[in-house]
Amino acid sequence: MVVSFLNLRIRKIKEQQVSVMKKPPSPDSGHVYVYYTRADRISDPCLLEEYRACLSPSEIRKADRYMKQSDRHLSLVSRALLRYLIAETTRQDPRSLNFSVNEHGKPFLAELPDMHFNLSHSHGVAVCALCRNAAVGVDVEDVGRHTDFSIAKRFFSSCEAALVSQAPEAEKRKLFFDIWTLKEAYIKAVGKGLSIPLNSFSFNVNETGIQITFRDTGRADPMWQFFQWRPEPGKIVAAAVRYASPIVFKHFGCVPFVGIAPNPLISRICLHAIGLDIESESIDRSRSNVYGLKKI
């Protein structure tokens, strides 16, 4: 019943000539695919029923423990996004995926050791990154949220904190979240959580790329490659991967169990096409800021 109902809605998308890929592409070595989902725009009961049906009992319990309904919803959609993407790219049943975690809590799939993934969610949006043969980290932030920029003195390196402190007020917020998302993406890629002090490494972000330098050696590591993307006003995404050859980063909008599209605007049109309530907003062009990488 749910599947046939979704098929009717997907057919409606096609009738409106919205370009949606039937399934996400399987990432080859040398590629990182980043998927962006507006969870707060997904309210269709049949989709949400499909999401809940694919989750494990422990994932459902975790989602249900949140006090706020918006947090329960975001947790549900985020986990469904992850299962949908991995299942589609590996031709698995999304319900069959059994996640384990390392000693620091980073999830992995023992039966798919070459498939690396990472998930992030914040203020109504979820992002998932997939990569083969290299650990990947991703972070998404709402740059409009209330932020005390003085915390840079506690969590950033001394040079990063000085940059934020000395930046003009009009640039301070952008600079802070550029650095913050990169730091989050890096430690999530390493997979050791906050056992890595955030002030033990520094980022240099400029128009030519992104470079990481480590306090203990004072040296950069060119194998670390980074990507930043602003999928829409007020949101920023960062991804990190360590790989010997240049990595190509590609990004998509995604509606789990409906499809993906080249950008979030198209995926939001898809939500509208299948009857979900979605308001129209202007979307910024994506921005790649990549160190030693192709620019998409």
Side-chain angles (χ1 to χ4, degrees), residues 9 11 19 24 41 68 78-79 97-98 109 133 157 163 196 201 213 216 237 244 253 257 270 284 288 294-295:
R9 287 178 171 245
R11 191 178 306 127
S19 175
R41 301 297 176 87
K68 295 174 62 177
S78 299
R79 297 304 301 185
L97 300 173
N98 293 312
L109 288 165
N133 302 316
S157 68
L163 283 174
I196 303 173
F201 55 95
T213 303
D216 57 350
V237 175
F257 293 91
C270 296
D284 281 348
S288 292
K294 287 185 179 180
K295 192 171 184 180

Side-chain angles (χ1 to χ4, degrees), residues 239-288:
V241 65
R242 191 173 189 270
Y243 203 72
S245 303
I247 288 284
V248 176
F249 289 87
K250 294 186 177 181
H251 50 74
F252 306 89
C254 180
V255 182
F257 293 91
V258 174
I260 70 165
N263 61 60
L265 175 60
I266 299 298
S267 67
R268 290 165 65 184
I269 291 173
C270 296
L271 286 172
H272 177 74
I274 63 177
L276 303 186
D277 183 21
I278 180 168
E279 62 189 55
S280 176
E281 295 180 2
S282 61
I283 304 297
D284 281 348
R285 299 288 292 179
S286 62
R287 176 181 70 89
S288 292

Side-chain angles (χ1 to χ4, degrees), residues 32 192 265:
V32 171
K192 294 183 179 181
L265 175 60

